[in-house]
Amino acid sequence: MKKRGVTYKLFIMTVVFFLCFYGMVILSQMLFFEGFYENQKISRVENHLKTYAANYASEENRSMSQISKDTAKFIIQNKSQLAILTLEGKVKLGDPFHITLKKENGQLVTINLSLFMNMYGTELKNAQIQQGDELTIFGENDIVEDSQIHVLYPINIYKQGGPVVGEPSAKVITGEDEFGETETITGTVTEIVLPDLKTWNPRQVLMLSAMEEWFPLTPTLLEKLKKLEVQQADWTEPWTGVRSSVLLYPVKMKNGDIDLLFTVTSLQEVSETNQALQWFYVYLGIGGFILILFLSLFFSKIVTRPLISINNAAKRMVNLDFTDHEPIRQNDELGSLSSSMHTLSRKLDSALGELQEANQQLVSDMKEKQKMEIAQQEFFANASHELKTPISIIKGFAEGLQDGVSAGKQDHYIGVIIEESDKMEMLVQDMLNLATLQSDTLKLRKTTYMLSELVEDVMGKLVYLLKQKNLEAVIIPSNELPLYGDLRWMEQVVSNLVTNAIRHAVEGSTITISIKGLEESSIFSIENTGEQIPEHQLEQIWERFFRAEPSRSRQTGGTGLGLAIVKRILDLHGCRYVAENTGMGVRIVITFDH
């Protein structure tokens, strides 16, 4: 198959993606947008109207002023018209935007402003009418039945000290004229409710036309409303052709009457928006094709990016840096070259890593060999030193026996020879034990045991050593838990530590052994009263043939390998250990992990 250039691939991919996306947007907008937008708008109005109806029915004693303010808020939020009527079509609240005037005789007059705002909204807002202002209003009368308040639809409004707002040529008279039955009234503003001009809907007049067409209600519709069924229908204003949605929401009051919330929501904006969007997407499509032409000019720069990446990888390889190189996933020449370089880099990195590891291992082995040679030399020197003294003593006393010492001294000479022989045997046994522990073939035979029981067994065997120095041993177990280890070697650990504690304890003192069980470990400590170890030597006591005495005196006994054996056994069991000075002597603490 012929390989296409990367520029061609990018060009085709961009064109196909843009055409598919543009076609999907245009098709969705033509088929679904208008219906979707209308449903969303009607649903929102219906939900808000439901909340309004609940508040209206639950607070029946609210003043008409408060109801007007709530109605105005609903109209502004939803850009819909709302009126409150009876089922017979009698208007209880038709216009929430109004001015209430109080005449000199105390009569209240409501000035409806919705129609007036359509023509003179800005001028009325600039007049800055407030409560307490004195106004003279010329307008058309509309007497509300069963009410002492009558309604006036203003033709012009005059605020004392300001300009006339409204029709300047209107005659300020009372009676019949070109406007119908008119009246001029003067009074003080007691209440004013005005909309925000930014959210004002000039189609408020649709409400009057809709009410005239829908009332009186048809018997079928009236019957459904009496059953408190919400009714919704599309309606087209016959004169202007404006499409609207009419929503009739019946509300049952506490006194049993049914009031009707009558809303008119214009859908003309939806149609106009949809038409504008269609033209917008046409222009967008043209702009998109032009954008493709510009994008093709940048394809050459896009092609150079993988080349730069490959070049940088090659430079790193020159410096023996084979890391951070990812192949370019492309089915073309650049992708093949990048994949080959990635494979080469990975193999070279692996070979170099193996070579470095082998070199490090060689260096480590050489250091370990030198360390072993030094340790071996020290071991032979220490062993020779430890064996030289008892051999010399045995030889001297044996020669004395050979020369024929007096009969009274023969028993003493024989006793010394036997004692030194026992020390040599002990030293050889410790050396054999240490050699066994350091062997790679050693296998621990682990079993479960209680440390306190093991300590008691060892103390029973060393009771004579305790009596010789008049010592007392105290074992303090606390929350002890079973341990898992090689019982034979752990007995050796306890025996060596107790022997060491007895050997360096002050006569008549107490050796304290504590065993404490924790959630994840057990703590074993042994403490005596005696001479302390210099701080700088606390880490050295675990070494072979080390003694804390200034001179390698053998008067205190021991082979110098006891703690080295302890250290090796504890290391094999994965235990942690430390030696520390106390106020009266030395304490060794061992931590056994469960």
Side-chain angles (χ1 to χ4, degrees):
M1 184 178 70
K2 182 180 178 181
K3 289 186 177 180
R4 299 289 185 177
V6 66
T7 304
Y8 175 81
K9 292 179 181 180
L10 290 174
F11 179 79
I12 294 298
M13 182 180 65
T14 305
V15 171
V16 171
F17 173 78
F18 178 81
L19 291 179
C20 291
F21 177 76
Y22 179 72
M24 181 185 67
V25 172
I26 289 295
L27 189 63
S28 300
Q29 187 268 333
M30 293 178 61
L31 297 178
F32 308 113
F33 177 76
E34 186 170 355
F36 172 78
Y37 192 91
E38 288 181 0
N39 290 334
Q40 288 289 105
K41 188 172 184 179
I42 294 172
S43 297
R44 186 186 65 178
V45 173
E46 186 172 354
N47 291 333
H48 289 176
L49 187 61
K50 183 178 180 181
T51 303
Y52 176 89
N55 295 333
Y56 177 74
S58 62
E59 301 181 18
E60 191 172 359
N61 295 326
R62 289 189 308 168
S63 63
M64 187 59 65
S65 173
Q66 184 61 42
I67 295 176
S68 297
K69 291 181 180 179
D70 291 345
T71 304
K73 182 179 179 181
F74 175 87
I75 292 174
I76 293 173
Q77 286 182 344
N78 298 278
K79 298 182 180 179
S80 301
Q81 294 81 53
L82 172 63
I84 303 176
L85 306 93
T86 64
L87 293 178
E88 294 76 21
K90 178 183 176 182
V91 178
K92 300 185 69 174
L93 178 64
D95 190 353
F97 305 113
H98 63 275
I99 296 175
T100 301
L101 288 185
K102 185 176 183 180
K103 300 169 66 175
E104 291 183 358
N105 59 7
Q107 184 184 12
L108 297 178
V109 181
T110 300
I111 314 299
N112 285 348
L113 297 177
S114 290
L115 296 176
F116 193 77
M117 289 288 295
N118 287 338
M119 300 178 62
Y120 308 107
T122 304
E123 293 85 347
L124 183 62
K125 195 75 173 180
N126 293 335
Q128 298 182 352
I129 299 174
Q130 300 177 356
Q131 290 186 5
D133 292 345
E134 186 173 337
L135 301 180
T136 299
I137 301 177
F138 170 64
E140 184 178 350
N141 275 318
D142 183 14
I143 304 300
V144 179
E145 298 180 7
D146 302 328
S147 176
Q148 296 181 354
I149 301 177
H150 77 273
V151 178
L152 188 71
Y153 292 94
I155 298 172
N156 58 39
I157 299 175
Y158 171 70
K159 177 182 177 181
Q160 187 174 4
V164 176
V165 179
E167 181 61 44
S169 61
K171 297 179 179 179
V172 185
I173 60 176
T174 302
E176 298 286 342
D177 61 6
E178 58 178 316
F179 297 102
E181 185 178 352
T182 59
E183 180 183 1
T184 301
I185 63 172
T186 300
T188 303
V189 177
T190 61
E191 182 184 20
I192 179 169
V193 180
L194 293 177
D196 187 351
L197 292 180
K198 295 180 180 179
T199 59
W200 171 250
N201 186 352
R203 292 179 177 143
Q204 297 282 130
V205 293
L206 288 176
M207 172 65 73
L208 300 177
S209 179
M211 292 170 60
E212 290 179 0
E213 183 167 334
W214 281 76
F215 290 91
L217 300 171
T218 63
T220 303
L221 184 59
L222 183 60
E223 186 65 26
K224 292 181 179 180
L225 293 174
K226 287 182 178 180
K227 295 179 181 180
L228 301 181
E229 297 180 6
V230 180
Q231 302 296 314
Q232 188 273 330
D234 291 341
W235 170 70
T236 303
E237 208 277 330
W239 291 97
T240 61
V242 175
R243 292 178 58 248
S244 301
S245 173
V246 176
L247 189 64
L248 293 88
Y249 200 105
V251 180
K252 189 171 185 179
M253 308 302 291
K254 292 182 179 180
N255 58 7
D257 295 340
I258 297 178
D259 287 353
L260 187 63
L261 305 182
F262 186 85
T263 66
V264 178
T265 304
S266 174
L267 301 178
Q268 188 67 22
E269 297 175 355
V270 180
S271 300
E272 294 173 354
T273 302
N274 192 38
Q275 293 176 3
L277 282 175
Q278 290 179 0
W279 283 105
F280 172 76
Y281 283 122
V282 170
Y283 295 135
L284 181 64
I286 296 174
F289 281 111
I290 297 176
L291 181 62
I292 289 179
L293 297 179
F294 283 102
L295 288 176
S296 62
L297 298 177
F298 293 98
F299 284 158
S300 57
K301 293 184 179 180
I302 295 176
V303 172
T304 60
R305 290 180 182 177
L307 291 175
I308 294 175
S309 177
I310 294 174
N311 184 48
N312 291 334
K315 291 180 179 179
R316 290 196 298 269
M317 292 174 63
V318 170
N319 297 323
L320 300 180
D321 181 7
F322 307 106
T323 59
D324 299 330
H325 174 61
E326 289 294 331
I328 301 173
R329 308 296 183 183
Q330 293 182 191
N331 189 23
D332 52 24
E333 296 83 358
L334 293 177
S336 177
L337 175 60
S338 177
S339 179
S340 299
M341 288 192 63
H342 174 69
T343 303
L344 176 62
S345 174
R346 187 173 56 187
K347 291 183 177 180
L348 289 175
D349 185 41
S350 177
L352 183 61
E354 292 176 356
L355 182 60
Q356 291 176 345
E357 290 179 0
N359 185 43
Q360 292 176 356
Q361 184 63 37
L362 179 60
V363 173
S364 177
D365 292 344
M366 291 179 65
K367 290 182 179 180
E368 186 65 24
K369 183 180 179 181
Q370 292 177 354
K371 184 178 179 180
M372 290 179 64
E373 290 177 352
I374 294 174
Q376 188 177 20
Q377 292 175 0
E378 291 179 352
F379 178 79
F380 285 124
N382 293 329
S384 299
H385 177 81
E386 293 295 330
L387 291 173
K388 180 179 179 181
T389 300
I391 289 174
S392 299
I393 294 173
I394 292 173
K395 181 181 178 181
F397 279 84
E399 289 176 349
L401 290 175
Q402 186 179 23
D403 292 339
V405 296
S406 62
K409 294 183 179 181
Q410 288 182 1
D411 291 340
H412 172 68
Y413 277 39
I414 294 173
V416 171
I417 292 173
I418 293 174
E419 181 181 353
E420 294 300 324
S421 300
D422 290 340
K423 291 180 180 180
M424 291 177 60
E425 181 181 9
M426 185 185 304
L427 175 61
V428 172
Q429 184 62 44
D430 285 347
M431 293 170 64
L432 292 175
N433 287 339
L434 187 60
T436 302
L437 290 169
Q438 292 178 340
S439 173
D440 294 335
T441 60
L442 176 65
K443 293 184 179 180
L444 299 177
R445 299 179 180 179
K446 293 186 177 183
T447 184
T448 303
Y449 64 95
M450 299 297 290
L451 189 55
S452 61
E453 296 178 357
L454 180 60
V455 173
E456 290 178 355
D457 291 343
V458 172
M459 297 302 296
K461 298 176 182 178
L462 300 177
V463 64
Y464 294 106
L465 290 179
L466 292 170
K467 289 182 178 180
Q468 288 177 2
K469 300 187 71 173
N470 195 22
L471 299 175
E472 182 181 356
V474 178
I475 304 174
I476 307 175
S478 175
N479 299 325
E480 183 182 6
L481 297 174
L483 299 180
Y484 186 69
D486 191 310
L487 189 59
R488 172 200 169 191
W489 291 115
M490 293 310 301
E491 182 180 359
Q492 182 73 44
V493 168
V494 175
S495 178
N496 287 5
L497 291 177
V498 173
T499 302
N500 209 51
I502 294 173
R503 184 176 296 122
H504 297 283
V506 177
E507 290 189 10
S509 61
T510 301
I511 297 175
T512 304
I513 299 175
S514 172
I515 302 171
K516 185 177 182 181
L518 303 178
E519 183 176 352
E520 297 181 355
S521 61
S522 292
I523 308 298
F524 170 86
S525 67
I526 180 169
E527 178 180 351
N528 71 349
T529 301
E531 186 178 355
Q532 295 184 341
I533 301 174
E535 292 293 333
H536 65 279
Q537 294 182 350
L538 287 174
E539 294 292 333
Q540 303 175 22
I541 64 174
W542 308 101
E543 298 176 4
R544 292 173 295 183
F545 299 110
F546 176 80
R547 287 192 177 92
E549 298 96 309
S551 64
R552 298 185 60 86
S553 172
R554 304 180 71 252
Q555 298 300 322
T556 57
T559 63
L561 297 176
L563 291 182
I565 294 174
V566 170
K567 177 180 183 299
R568 182 57 182 167
I569 295 174
L570 294 178
D571 288 340
L572 291 174
H573 283 79
C575 300
R576 301 185 299 276
Y577 46 89
V578 64
E580 57 190 12
N581 289 318
T582 64
M584 302 293 293
V586 178
R587 176 171 54 226
I588 293 180
V589 182
I590 303 174
T591 302
F592 298 86
D593 293 328
H594 294 159

